Amino acid sequence: MKTKLSAENLNISFGEKHVLNNINVAFAEKEITALIGPSGCGKSTLLRSFNRMHDLFPDARINGTLRLEDLDLYSKTVPVTEIRKRIGMVFQKANPFPKSIYENIAYGLKINNLPYGKDVVEKALQEAYLWDEVKNDLKMPATRLSGGQQQRLCIARAVALRPEVILMDEPCSALDPVSTLKIEELIKHLKEKYTIVIVTHNMQQAQRIADKTVFMYLGEVKEEGPTDQIFNNPKNEMTANYISGYFG
Ligand SMILES: Nc1ncnc2c1ncn2[C@@H]1O[C@H](COP(=O)(O)OP(=O)(O)OP(=O)(O)O)[C@@H](O)[C@H]1O
Ligand SMILES: [Mg+2]
């Protein structure tokens, strides 16, 4: 399996606080990888490092090598806008722009200098399994959609830019079970085209959708492997304890 995204000897600290300790991890192309581990272990920090979200924090220190295929994601010559176009991100809380449904997709395309015609907007909404629900309300403010619809809109906005990777940080944690299952179906369908890394606290969700699972603890990767193996035959005692709910 070809590696799409990777971190080598990655260390991250904020001021005096060392948050990620020598992370080595590789995500395979067109697979879904789940990042699991107790609160505060560094899952979001790792995810965010791949699209340079820590650039905004002056006290963040990042050492190591992060790559998208051969591209060094922290190379001075690569504009961060290009990285964020190729590596999209979806957050825990849906964050549509305060604009219409249509504009939410078109605006993202426009600022990235991509064609933003009706057909492109429709295609993105189709791809995010949202089109049928919104096709008659494209001018409605996106904030009037349900939480699950807003999250699918954010996914549509990400896929509209034709990224190669989509990072998702607990995308379903604010959603009801029905909306959650819809997003899970969507994520499984997106993997035909995109490489997906998803942080989740939901162990059933990881087992339903992820090909691989990475278990993190206190800023380190403790175990990684095929999801079946991690959940049915973990090699690390801490993984076993975490997935059976002893802590976290
Ligand atoms: N910008 C920052 N400045 C200072 N500390 C930070 C910053 N971002 C993250 N941290 C710290 O890094 C550690 C890891 O946080 P992170 O958000 O990555 O954990 P997480 O595994 O995603 O947890 P959760 O499951 O609760 O979302 C925490 O101790 C957090 O306080
Ligand atoms: Mg987090």
Side-chain angles (χ1 to χ4, degrees):
M1 201 64 87
K2 181 178 158 195
T3 293
K4 186 71 185 178
L5 194 68
S6 64
E8 252 174 70
N9 305 320
L10 175 65
N11 284 275
I12 299 186
S13 47
F14 298 101
E16 296 291 290
K17 193 166 173 188
H18 201 80
V19 172
L20 292 184
N21 189 22
N22 215 36
I23 301 276
N24 286 283
V25 75
F27 303 112
E29 183 168 51
K30 294 183 185 165
E31 280 195 348
I32 301 172
T33 305
L35 291 183
I36 63 168
S39 181
C41 72
K43 303 177 296 296
S44 297
T45 303
L46 175 60
L47 202 69
R48 293 154 68 92
S49 65
F50 286 108
N51 78 346
R52 301 258 302 258
M53 296 277 291
H54 304 303
D55 287 16
L56 302 165
F57 294 90
D59 67 343
R61 267 194 303 131
I62 300 174
N63 286 300
T65 312
L66 291 126
R67 287 186 205 281
L68 174 67
E69 295 184 3
D70 292 332
L71 177 73
D72 178 349
L73 294 171
Y74 282 76
S75 152
K76 295 270 183 292
T77 57
V78 190
V80 71
T81 46
E82 185 197 321
I83 287 165
R84 295 198 184 136
K85 188 161 155 273
R86 295 178 67 183
I87 305 178
M89 185 139 184
V90 174
F91 299 88
Q92 179 167 9
K93 196 172 170 307
N95 56 348
F97 302 129
K99 292 174 179 290
S100 70
I101 294 169
Y102 185 90
E103 277 295 316
N104 258 273
I105 311 292
Y107 179 73
L109 289 162
K110 211 184 305 180
I111 58 175
N112 279 285
N113 296 318
L114 292 166
Y116 55 95
K118 252 165 80 184
D119 48 334
V120 195
V121 173
E122 173 174 343
K123 189 156 175 256
L125 290 168
Q126 294 267 19
E127 208 177 342
Y129 289 174
L130 187 59
W131 176 249
D132 289 336
E133 288 159 65
V134 301
K135 62 184 176 199
N136 299 318
D137 300 310
L138 294 174
K139 289 188 180 149
M140 188 175 91
T143 45
R144 281 197 215 152
L145 293 169
S146 74
Q149 289 172 326
Q150 289 189 25
Q151 196 58 298
R152 277 178 283 143
L153 182 65
C154 292
I155 294 172
R157 191 174 66 186
V159 301
L161 304 185
R162 303 278 140 230
E164 294 158 59
V165 176
I166 305 177
L167 308 172
M168 300 183 166
D169 198 350
E170 303 189 53
C172 302
S173 65
L175 303 179
D176 63 88
V178 173
S179 306
T180 295
L181 288 180
K182 264 191 203 158
I183 302 237
E184 288 182 9
E185 279 314 305
L186 168 58
I187 293 171
K188 283 193 271 185
H189 140 90
L190 292 175
K191 126 177 151 162
E192 287 170 21
K193 285 197 194 157
Y194 310 101
T195 301
I196 294 170
V197 185
I198 177 171
V199 172
T200 182
H201 279 280
N202 181 331
M203 297 300 105
Q204 284 77 33
Q205 177 168 78
Q207 292 177 78
R208 283 192 295 262
I209 66 175
D211 301 294
K212 304 261 172 64
T213 295
V214 174
F215 171 67
M216 292 176 69
Y217 185 68
L218 294 179
E220 294 182 359
V221 169
K222 290 294 180 194
E223 184 167 0
E224 61 186 304
T227 299
D228 276 351
Q229 179 256 306
I230 296 289
F231 283 93
N232 298 316
N233 189 20
K235 295 189 170 67
N236 187 305
E237 201 185 325
M238 264 186 284
T239 316
N241 288 339
Y242 179 72
I243 61 176
S244 52
Y246 286 133
F247 67 93

